[in-house]
Amino acid sequence: MAKLLVKLQRYFRRKPVRFFTLLALYLAAGSLVFLHSGFSGEPTVPGSPRGPAGAEGPGLPYLGVMQLSRGFKAAATMPGRARRHGPWFKSTSKEPAERGKARDNGGTRSRALRGRSGREKEEDRARYIGCYVDNTRRRTLRGMSFFDYKKMTVFRCQDNCAERGYLYAGLEFGAECYCGHKIQASNASESECNMECKGERSNTCGGINRLSIYRLELAQESARRYGSAIFRGCFRRPDNVSIALPASQLMLNMSVDKCVDFCTEKEYPLSALAGTSCRCGFPTTLFPLHEREDEQLCAQKCPGEEFESCGTADFLLVYQTQVQDNRCMDRRFLPTRAKQLVALASFPGAGNTWARHLIELATGFYTGSYYFDGSLYNKGFKGERDHWRSGRTICIKTHESGQKEIESFDSAILLIRNPYKALMAEFNRKYGGHIGFAAHAHWKGKEWPEFVANYAPWWATHTLDWLRYGKKVLVVHFEDLKRDLFVQLQRMVGLLGITACEDRLLCVEGQKDGNFKRSGLRKLEYDPYTPEMRKMISGYIKTVDTALKLRNLSGVPDDYYPR
């Protein structure tokens, strides 16, 4: 044996090319075996029987086209590794041929087949019902909509629509999600819904002006159970009630759910209960929802629910449904180049992204940015990609505070926020993204003290520089914008040179959060600010307060100072 190994060694030493050729063939053969075993779990074309995993896994919810198990009866029932694309299938004599068809990824037909194969398995969560025509003038699904041009998935669209109580979820252009309660369009060919989802190549997300629509089987019941409507308050009956709230229905067995469901089906964002009468409409100048009454005036028991109030003939109990008010959703670039550059200036973490969302809804025009943030562009801020001097956007986001940068703008909206909240918000953005949160380790580690030491002085100098070098500055406090959005947004739109349409501003009030606002600061188990930090920040607050008052402006709100 030893002599044979010595002979082989001498042979390959003399013939190195042959050695490396044999080695390459050996590695190629191993790779083919590995790839074959990897593809053995891929789903076949529609109609294949479900395998043991599908039978043994109790309560397996379908999330898009990805099946996640919450527990199998025994580990032995779970073959090999879990696959991303769907459940395992029984082995049949036809399996290799069918697998070959499933792996044929060339062209739109194979993508449509893969999409339908995944869609038909969504029994528990949603049911795919077809490809439908859609256009911008008359939407097929007229509820909420949102976009993500980088990470859209079928499950993400379904989940957002289900959370808000919609019956249908539709995907278009591979990245756009629409929700609604009724389908108002005709069917299209399945081959037209062939665009891959931006966030998962294993499924399709509609096509060009074509929606892949799912019916969310459990969405409506789940939303009702946990309350899909938002309570707006008790309001006096408007003078022209039939004009202010045009849709109505007499309900002898009235309840909040019945009235909300009725207005949702009629696709109105407001549901108003008036005893046994249910009325639906939009917030308008006839019914702006700005003057609340004492809730005791609406405290009349519902005929159909003993523990609910249903309002009276004179005082209406109003709820906001999950129907999106589309009167303020259209946005575009300025038709002609802007003559002046207006800055939307703020310290980082002061709510600039949220303010941009509000301005775009209120004016109908895109906002721009001094920077370029791909994540914001992917979430619908189309002005993000334009150069800030392009003149195509209504205002430009900036965090700059130097004299040269400030004097580049003709006017500015200066957004100021409580430094304690702003610092925490920016820290969350830096370590968790625009709507995410920093990890606990970052708060406890050295990152937080260093961040406060560097950023707290910047909070003060940012405001002082804009007050000193800005040509025409409108100061808006973030807290005032939250408390009285209609009035503050009117001021902001006025500076931008746009005539404020009151109905559009009322629409913004109902859509104010959008998809760009962090859902409140995460509650920490401890106060992240040390006494030394608070002493330093309080000094900066007093400096800014003095500077505002010297300009004959109102000082900082009282809640800026720690209690």
Side-chain angles (χ1 to χ4, degrees):
M1 187 67 182
K3 290 182 179 180
L4 179 62
L5 291 173
V6 170
K7 287 182 179 180
L8 285 171
Q9 185 179 11
R10 288 176 180 173
Y11 175 78
F12 285 120
R13 189 179 296 167
R14 288 194 296 267
K15 308 286 185 179
V17 175
R18 291 183 184 180
F19 172 73
F20 286 113
T21 302
L22 287 172
L23 181 63
L25 288 172
Y26 174 77
L27 293 173
S31 300
L32 287 172
V33 172
F34 175 77
L35 288 172
H36 181 270
S37 64
F39 276 112
S40 64
E42 294 286 338
T44 59
V45 294
S48 297
R50 294 185 67 172
E56 293 292 330
L60 295 177
Y62 279 86
L63 308 182
V65 293
M66 181 171 63
Q67 187 187 45
L68 300 180
S69 168
R70 289 186 180 176
F72 288 90
K73 288 184 179 178
T77 65
M78 224 172 70
R81 270 181 295 176
R83 304 295 298 172
R84 183 175 186 272
H85 300 292
W88 291 80
F89 292 83
K90 291 180 181 178
S91 175
T92 67
S93 58
K94 297 181 181 180
E95 185 184 38
E98 292 176 348
R99 253 196 333 259
K101 292 178 185 177
R103 290 199 302 270
D104 179 17
N105 294 330
T108 60
R109 176 175 172 77
S110 64
R111 287 200 294 271
L113 280 174
R114 293 203 317 276
R116 287 200 298 273
S117 176
R119 291 190 293 244
E120 289 177 2
K121 300 177 187 71
E122 296 170 351
E123 308 158 348
D124 300 331
R125 169 173 189 83
R127 177 168 58 88
Y128 176 70
I129 61 172
C131 182
Y132 286 80
V133 177
D134 188 46
N135 62 70
T136 55
R137 291 187 178 181
R138 185 175 177 83
R139 287 294 181 193
T140 302
L141 296 176
R142 301 184 191 176
M144 185 202 75
S145 63
F146 74 99
F147 319 98
D148 193 330
Y149 293 94
K150 192 174 182 181
K151 298 180 180 179
M152 180 61 73
T153 65
V154 172
F155 166 61
R156 186 179 175 198
C157 178
Q158 291 175 357
D159 190 48
N160 276 272
C161 293
E163 270 186 7
R164 292 160 176 79
Y166 289 104
L167 290 176
Y168 297 98
L171 295 109
E172 186 175 4
F173 289 109
E176 301 180 359
C177 176
Y178 296 89
C179 313
H181 293 284
K182 287 194 298 184
I183 299 172
Q184 305 187 62
S186 56
N187 282 91
S189 170
E190 283 297 316
S191 61
E192 296 179 68
C193 286
N194 56 21
M195 294 183 72
E196 290 184 342
C197 302
K198 297 296 184 182
E200 55 173 353
R201 298 180 64 84
S202 62
N203 208 350
T204 54
C205 286
I208 300 173
N209 293 326
R210 296 294 182 268
L211 278 176
S212 296
I213 297 184
Y214 297 80
R215 180 178 173 86
L216 307 174
E217 302 293 347
L218 303 178
Q220 189 73 357
E221 286 70 23
S222 299
R224 287 175 188 163
R225 190 176 304 122
Y226 296 104
S228 62
I230 301 169
F231 178 67
R232 296 296 297 270
C234 178
F235 298 90
R236 187 180 295 275
R237 171 190 170 120
D239 293 334
N240 299 317
V241 67
S242 58
I243 299 175
L245 301 168
S248 64
Q249 176 81 24
L250 185 66
M251 297 181 179
L252 298 178
N253 198 27
M254 173 71 83
S255 70
V256 174
D257 276 349
K258 286 184 175 65
C259 188
V260 168
D261 290 345
F262 170 73
C263 294
T264 298
E265 289 173 6
K266 294 291 184 181
E267 297 191 345
Y268 284 102
L270 292 185
S271 172
L273 292 83
T276 55
S277 177
C278 174
R279 292 189 170 274
C280 318
F282 294 91
T284 63
T285 51
L286 293 174
F287 196 47
L289 303 183
H290 286 161
E291 296 180 7
R292 282 195 180 196
E293 301 288 348
D294 188 338
E295 289 180 26
Q296 290 300 316
L297 297 172
C298 290
Q300 178 174 297
K301 187 173 69 173
C302 289
E305 273 299 337
E306 183 180 357
F307 300 104
E308 290 182 353
S309 297
C310 275
T312 68
D314 296 322
F315 294 94
L316 311 182
L317 207 59
V318 179
Y319 290 84
Q320 184 173 319
T321 73
Q322 292 296 309
V323 174
Q324 188 176 49
D325 190 345
N326 287 321
R327 295 176 299 166
C328 58
M329 298 308 293
D330 60 299
R331 290 169 295 163
R332 59 195 176 101
F333 288 103
L334 291 172
T336 57
R337 184 182 174 88
K339 295 179 181 178
Q340 293 191 330
L341 292 177
V342 183
L344 177 61
S346 74
F347 174 77
N352 200 303
T353 303
W354 181 51
R356 289 178 67 187
H357 166 70
L358 297 175
I359 289 170
E360 289 194 359
L361 294 187
T363 64
F365 296 114
Y366 288 120
T367 58
S369 177
Y370 195 80
Y371 321 97
F372 170 68
D373 188 325
S375 66
L376 289 181
Y377 176 83
N378 289 329
K379 293 185 188 309
F381 285 109
K382 294 305 175 188
E384 192 76 20
R385 181 166 284 182
D386 268 36
H387 188 275
W388 66 279
R389 286 187 179 274
S390 70
R392 297 206 307 158
T393 53
I394 194 68
C395 65
I396 298 102
K397 162 192 173 176
T398 180
H399 298 312
E400 302 303 310
S401 55
Q403 179 180 357
K404 182 180 177 181
E405 288 79 5
I406 292 172
E407 291 179 347
S408 300
F409 294 94
D410 301 294
S411 57
I413 298 169
L414 178 59
L415 193 62
I416 305 174
R417 188 181 186 183
N418 183 328
Y420 293 101
K421 300 285 182 65
L423 289 168
M424 292 177 72
E426 174 59 10
F427 191 72
N428 276 318
R429 186 208 63 80
K430 187 174 181 180
Y431 291 99
H434 279 283
I435 56 174
F437 295 91
H440 191 69
H442 291 132
W443 294 99
K444 283 289 190 181
K446 64 179 182 180
E447 294 94 339
W448 172 243
E450 290 178 356
F451 178 87
V452 172
N454 292 326
Y455 277 66
W458 182 17
W459 176 86
T461 58
H462 182 277
T463 299
L464 297 174
D465 281 358
W466 277 94
L467 291 175
R468 181 180 179 184
Y469 302 117
K471 298 172 186 175
K472 182 181 178 182
V473 179
L474 173 69
V475 174
V476 177
H477 291 284
F478 176 86
E479 293 73 18
D480 292 338
L481 186 60
K482 283 184 66 177
R483 184 167 44 249
D484 195 358
L485 186 143
F486 187 88
V487 171
Q488 297 301 325
L489 200 52
Q490 254 185 337
R491 294 176 64 221
M492 294 162 72
V493 171
L495 181 79
L496 297 172
I498 303 291
T499 303
C501 172
E502 288 194 25
D503 281 355
R504 190 170 183 114
L505 292 177
L506 291 169
C507 168
V508 177
E509 285 188 309
Q511 315 292 330
K512 61 182 180 181
D513 288 347
N515 297 302
F516 312 108
K517 182 172 175 289
R518 189 177 283 109
S519 58
L521 293 177
R522 181 175 289 172
K523 298 291 184 183
L524 295 175
E525 297 176 357
Y526 64 97
D527 181 0
Y529 292 102
T530 63
E532 292 77 15
M533 291 178 183
R534 289 189 174 276
K535 183 178 179 181
M536 172 182 65
I537 294 171
S538 290
Y540 294 136
I541 291 173
K542 290 174 182 176
T543 302
V544 169
D545 184 64
T546 302
L548 289 169
K549 289 175 178 175
L550 287 173
R551 280 250 185 157
N552 294 320
L553 300 169
S554 59
V556 299
D558 293 338
D559 59 4
Y560 278 28
Y561 296 99
R563 295 174 183 175

